[in-house]
Amino acid sequence: MCMMNEEEKNRRAAEKWEGAEAMKKESVVKAALLGLGTVGSGVYKLVERQKEQLPAKTGMQLEIAKILVHDMKKERPGVRRELLTDSFEEILKDSDIQIVIEVVGGIEPAKRMIMDALKAGKNVVTANKDLIAAHGRELLNTAEEHHVDLLFEASVAGGIPIINPLKECLAGNEILSVMGIVNGTTNYILTKMTEEGMDFDEALKRAQELGYAEADPTSDIEGHDAGRKVAILASIAFHSKVTFKDVYVEGITRITSRDIAYAEEFGNVIKLLGIARNEGGEIEAAVYPMMLPKDHPLASVRDSFNAVFVQGDAVGDTMFYGRGAGELPTASAVMADVLRILRNIRCGCNGRIGCTCYRNLPMKPIEESQHKYYVRMLVENRPGVLAQITGTLAEQGVSIEKVVQKVFRDNKAEVVIITEKIQERYVKNALDEFRRSPVIYDISNILREY
Amino acid sequence: MCMMNEEEKNRRAAEKWEGAEAMKKESVVKAALLGLGTVGSGVYKLVERQKEQLPAKTGMQLEIAKILVHDMKKERPGVRRELLTDSFEEILKDSDIQIVIEVVGGIEPAKRMIMDALKAGKNVVTANKDLIAAHGRELLNTAEEHHVDLLFEASVAGGIPIINPLKECLAGNEILSVMGIVNGTTNYILTKMTEEGMDFDEALKRAQELGYAEADPTSDIEGHDAGRKVAILASIAFHSKVTFKDVYVEGITRITSRDIAYAEEFGNVIKLLGIARNEGGEIEAAVYPMMLPKDHPLASVRDSFNAVFVQGDAVGDTMFYGRGAGELPTASAVMADVLRILRNIRCGCNGRIGCTCYRNLPMKPIEESQHKYYVRMLVENRPGVLAQITGTLAEQGVSIEKVVQKVFRDNKAEVVIITEKIQERYVKNALDEFRRSPVIYDISNILREY
């Protein structure tokens, strides 16, 4: 804040600007951009926008000195042609380049390029969740060995600050759980199904038309994209290694308008959640659609917005909300990391925060997790069927909170059961029994309830 | 993340712990706590809780070496007696103390103690919004001169990370606006009025019983507390000096159950908002109750929770939600700053981020701000009155979006008008006319609409 008299303030402001001007000449930090797709173009635009401000904000000026692209011939409006190169070696050998910004995505060649850059003593910013979720520790160790920064705020929840808040702002807490809507495509689809009564296919088609969903939407709708983000969030929140393969993943393809209607009937909404919990020293990490009470802060996160809900032993409930994808939101997160590096270069403290995984906690199998469960079944509509179902549940030790039965034509009925909170394995046992029962035609869906 | 094979990970984890153990012996950083009230006790508890983790998290161990208290005789369960002192000089002269944590609050003696600590080369963490909103720049300059940190995350919105996210995580953005529910007391009162139909006095009484409101609630219900937070938020968001006196402030004491009912009728909720906008280089900073659409993310922030909604030119809409007060939530924010300082000490980069006000933007008078307005009036119930009211508005250039009239007994009627978006001055002119009109008995309330 600037709480002094005007003359004094103006004098200092002027000084600061002269200082900034001076620095602009003296200490320009050169950066290379690997990739000029959506995010890359966003980063390039932001650097241009912020040129005047950066010296005042960081004490340093930033210059994008080289941009690695595949196709040198492609027209790239607004980008100075002489910056383009198709040779990473050229960037690697340029000792003036202190920051490498990787926005090509995928494992290779991104991994090799980042490793080479780190070993060459260059700081790296990446938005690459696949790479961090798979090889984060190896990369972070290499960064530490060479006393440089490897930052990846943009790899989870796009523009929403969440990696740095977990590493710094909530560092005085023992994090108990992290629950996030970290995939905008599926949140958009579920929002349309809930608010406009679309069925899944229609909502997916709409998402594809709007560019929210890829031509092949598998990674989004099957929860793989969210799973990678959960692995990263869990590792940072609990200071212990969690990889994508440790994460139990369910998508939203089984959700129908019937489930949406029952959610509404019970005062819930269905959201695809990435969940990481520290259960007494065991880590639970999963992605699945969940019945969430309407008054939960995550329930009102609509359309393609993301949000991460964090519970700490000191801070209590806290939530971070915003755009999980898109050119400029993602570029905003990349720029935040770039500014951190500029400030670190100025103070000579690159590598200030490295890998924070100093624990080795076991994973908790999904069968041992405890929830209420929503089970929707198609059954034969005759006396005794409901008794049979509730009897089976009782045998398996599953108590029932609620039962709804709706009769259809051709003597079929739909039975929906909400169980009391219980370990998942007992519900699974009951479902195995149901599958063997001649009077239960179909187990239409099973959802966990918050 | 830790993405390597088990042996390797365990080996490194072990190393890390040995390293941490070693550091614990070698580099213990001593801190002094000024004040042992609610927040002070919270900080003391958190430091105890985190003792084992701090070396692994920051590479340093922290020790609360001294605690400044008024009353040496008072029983303080859980606090080691020998740490207590009633002499600040003793703390100031102790060259081993590198961090001073000020949680006494108020302007003096807090200001003198912080200035002395900074000049003695000690890093300072404070939760003191009154002090930062009044003398922040002077304190920050002193910190810069002595190359130490002065951090104040806890001064705004308690446990919610917002100061650091604005200074670092969103630093690549031009911030367009900051809108916050930054006073839990008034949000609790408005929530009770909205959800349980309480009137203001009843809700205030309840808040006082729960300890949310002081015996003298003026600073909360008149918006002064929120106003100080807005001054701090605006200064950081727009990089330009904003002091409490620059902030236009209205409280919630005029809100009645009638206004709550009309808000409901129009699909809105009433929230006390702290608002800071950069309107083309002019800063608008104000606190007032506002009619907010129910689907706005801030509308679902209930009870004593706080949230800050930030719009950036790159990130778009983002929101930070959590506990704005309380022992441990506030201590969580203080601890975040303490951990930053520990990491800075380890890297020798204290003062890494100082004052970020490098601009000198003018303030925009409230009369020039533009909104829709809700005006509730008690009028004489006879033909022509409504025509007179709408006529006056037309003369003043105020277009009407909605009019509702409700007839009472003894030929009085209540008229509620929602205007189109217009500059505040024109509405004020119309209201002056109304006050002169014999058929308008009372202008019951005026609220801005989002």
Side-chain angles (χ1 to χ4, degrees), chain B residues 350-394:
Chain B
N350 294 98
R352 180 172 165 276
I353 303 178
C355 182
T356 51
C357 287
Y358 54 84
R359 288 175 178 158
N360 182 20
L361 303 177
M363 300 301 299
K364 182 175 186 175
I366 188 78
E367 291 70 22
E368 294 176 19
S369 69
Q370 293 207 356
H371 295 282
K372 293 175 167 192
Y373 294 84
Y374 154 98
V375 183
R376 181 167 61 91
M377 295 177 287
L378 190 65
V379 306
E380 184 179 352
N381 180 35
R382 64 164 170 78
V385 169
L386 202 53
Q388 207 173 315
I389 291 169
T390 52
T392 304
L393 287 167

Side-chain angles (χ1 to χ4, degrees), chain A residues 1-4 10 49 53 57 137 167 171 173 241 313 318-319 321 332 344 352 357-358 360, chain B residues 1-4 10 49 53 57 137 171 173 241 318-319 321 332 343-344 352 357-358 360:
Chain A
M1 268 59 45
C2 322
M3 314 288 181
M4 55 180 55
N10 297 338
R49 270 195 207 173
Q53 311 295 325
K57 284 181 178 176
R137 177 56 183 267
K167 282 195 168 191
N173 287 256
K241 160 192 171 186
D313 68 338
T318 171
M319 188 171 83
Y321 166 98
S332 166
N344 288 350
R352 180 172 164 275
C357 287
Y358 54 83
N360 183 19
Chain B
M1 269 59 40
C2 323
M3 315 286 180
M4 57 179 57
N10 296 339
R49 270 193 206 174
Q53 311 296 324
K57 284 181 180 176
R137 177 58 183 265
N173 287 256
K241 162 193 172 185
T318 172
M319 187 172 82
Y321 166 97
S332 165
R343 284 165 163 161
N344 288 350
R352 180 172 165 276
C357 287
Y358 54 84
N360 182 20

Side-chain angles (χ1 to χ4, degrees), chain A residues 53-104:
Chain A
Q53 311 295 325
L54 284 176
K57 284 181 178 176
T58 67
M60 313 292 271
Q61 181 54 285
L62 179 72
E63 181 194 329
I64 301 283
K66 288 191 167 62
I67 303 174
L68 182 70
V69 295
H70 271 302
D71 177 1
M72 294 288 286
K73 295 189 193 57
K74 188 175 169 193
E75 270 311 312
R76 305 180 189 269
V79 177
R80 300 214 319 282
R81 211 160 187 62
E82 63 272 25
L83 300 184
L84 303 181
T85 174
D86 53 9
S87 154
F88 176 67
E89 292 313 304
E90 193 186 310
I91 289 165
L92 193 63
K93 291 208 178 69
D94 185 339
S95 57
D96 288 352
I97 291 176
Q98 298 184 63
I99 306 176
V100 167
I101 304 164
E102 184 273 310
V103 286
V104 288

Side-chain angles (χ1 to χ4, degrees), chain B residues 175-188:
Chain B
I175 302 299
L176 308 173
S177 72
V178 178
M179 269 172 64
I181 294 171
V182 289
N183 180 272
T185 310
T186 45
N187 201 51
Y188 175 84

Side-chain angles (χ1 to χ4, degrees), chain A residues 1-4 6 9-10 12 16-17 46 49-50 53 56-57 132-137 140-141 144-145 152 159 161 164-165 167-174 232 235-236 239-243 297 300 305 313-315 317-323 328-329 332 335-336 339-340 343-344 346-347 349 352-353 355-360, chain B residues 1-4 6 9-10 12 16-17 46 49-50 53 56-57 132-137 140-141 144-145 152 159 161 164-165 167-174 232 235-236 239-243 297 300 305 313-315 317-323 328-329 332 335-336 339-340 343-344 346-347 349 352-353 355-360:
Chain A
M1 268 59 45
C2 322
M3 314 288 181
M4 55 180 55
E6 281 312 305
K9 221 208 98 310
N10 297 338
R12 286 174 185 269
K16 239 187 169 125
W17 270 113
L46 274 196
R49 270 195 207 173
Q50 288 283 314
Q53 311 295 325
K57 284 181 178 176
I132 295 296
H135 305 285
R137 177 56 183 267
L140 282 162
N141 287 333
E144 272 181 33
E145 284 157 25
F152 47 91
N164 185 259
K167 282 195 168 191
E168 291 211 65
C169 304
L170 301 176
N173 287 256
E174 188 69 41
I232 297 173
S235 301
I236 292 169
H239 307 287
S240 183
K241 160 192 171 186
V242 177
T243 61
S300 45
F305 275 95
D313 68 338
V315 75
D317 294 350
T318 171
M319 188 171 83
F320 304 79
Y321 166 98
R323 287 275 172 207
L328 289 178
S332 166
M335 275 298 278
L339 267 84
R340 280 188 190 95
R343 283 164 164 161
N344 288 350
R346 176 149 166 272
C347 305
C349 62
R352 180 172 164 275
I353 304 179
C355 182
T356 51
C357 287
Y358 54 83
R359 288 177 179 156
N360 183 19
Chain B
M1 269 59 40
C2 323
M3 315 286 180
M4 57 179 57
E6 281 312 304
K9 220 210 99 312
N10 296 339
R12 286 174 186 268
K16 241 193 169 119
W17 270 114
L46 273 196
R49 270 193 206 174
Q50 288 284 314
Q53 311 296 324
K57 284 181 180 176
I132 295 297
H135 304 286
R137 177 58 183 265
L140 281 161
N141 287 334
E144 272 180 33
E145 283 157 24
F152 47 92
N164 185 261
K167 282 194 170 192
E168 292 210 62
C169 304
L170 301 177
N173 287 256
E174 187 70 42
I232 297 173
S235 300
I236 292 170
H239 307 285
S240 183
K241 162 193 172 185
V242 177
T243 61
S300 47
F305 276 94
D313 67 339
V315 74
D317 294 351
T318 172
M319 187 172 82
F320 303 80
Y321 166 97
R323 287 273 170 211
L328 290 178
S332 165
M335 275 298 279
L339 267 84
R340 278 186 192 100
R343 284 165 163 161
N344 288 350
R346 175 149 168 274
C347 306
C349 61
R352 180 172 165 276
I353 303 178
C355 182
T356 51
C357 287
Y358 54 84
R359 288 175 178 158
N360 182 20

